[in-house]
Amino acid sequence: MSGLSRLSARERSLLWVMVLLGVGAAIYSLVLVPQQEARAQAAQQIERFETVSARLDSAGPMVAARPLDTRPVPAIVAESARDRAIPIQRLEPEGALTRLSLDTVGFDTLMLWLADLDTLHRVRVASIEMERQLEPGTVTARIALER
């Protein structure tokens, strides 16, 4: 306290003003600015979510309007594989599952075909076993499909 007592009243007042300004600047830069940035970022995320939600709402009727393919799963699989030139070695219905074995097929072609079966015909993969072949990008597969 001896250091403060040597200062004049005017100097002590200036020192207190500087301390208060320093504390105010610290609060502003360490608390208020990050809070404002977080609010701005949250507002941007909300805007993005609302945009995506609006797009999904507008696409909803198109997805729901697609009729369900009521044909048996083996018929759907055989037709779609033929359209994609996917060689089916064996196709066996087994209760709710349809098991199939595929000869050498491109991995990308197989994945796109399975995705189309899911999205277009609601036929899903229950299990899959793949073995890569010597030719790059090709596999053989044993697949169980279900609706």
Side-chain angles (χ1 to χ4, degrees):
M1 187 86 162
S2 64
L4 286 178
S5 62
R6 286 189 274 160
L7 297 176
S8 68
R10 179 177 174 212
E11 290 172 338
R12 279 192 296 258
S13 298
L14 286 174
L15 183 62
W16 281 113
V17 168
M18 287 177 26
V19 167
L20 290 175
L21 285 175
V23 168
I27 289 173
Y28 178 77
S29 65
L30 296 176
V31 176
L32 296 178
V33 170
Q35 186 179 24
Q36 289 172 346
E37 290 173 354
R39 282 185 181 178
Q41 187 178 21
Q44 288 175 346
Q45 286 179 341
I46 289 171
E47 185 177 330
R48 270 189 258 132
F49 291 143
E50 287 175 347
T51 302
V52 169
S53 177
R55 286 182 183 172
L56 289 175
D57 287 343
S58 68
M62 290 187 295
V63 173
R66 184 180 308 136
L68 177 63
D69 193 346
T70 57
R71 295 179 296 163
V73 174
I76 295 169
V77 169
E79 181 184 331
S80 63
R82 185 181 63 246
D83 293 344
R84 292 270 184 143
I86 294 176
I88 296 179
Q89 191 174 25
R90 186 178 53 163
L91 178 67
E92 297 176 357
E94 185 179 296
L97 294 177
T98 299
R99 297 192 182 278
L100 57 134
S101 297
L102 302 178
D103 208 9
T104 303
V105 63
F107 178 80
D108 294 340
T109 304
L110 176 60
M111 291 298 110
L112 291 172
W113 177 60
L114 292 173
D116 282 350
L117 282 175
D118 186 22
T119 56
L120 299 176
H121 305 287
R122 297 184 187 150
V123 174
R124 293 182 172 76
V125 175
S127 69
I128 186 168
E129 294 177 26
M130 287 189 281
E131 295 176 9
R132 68 178 176 188
Q133 299 300 300
L134 294 176
E135 185 179 336
T138 60
V139 295
T140 58
R142 288 172 301 288
I143 305 169
L145 300 171
E146 65 184 356
R147 179 165 293 184

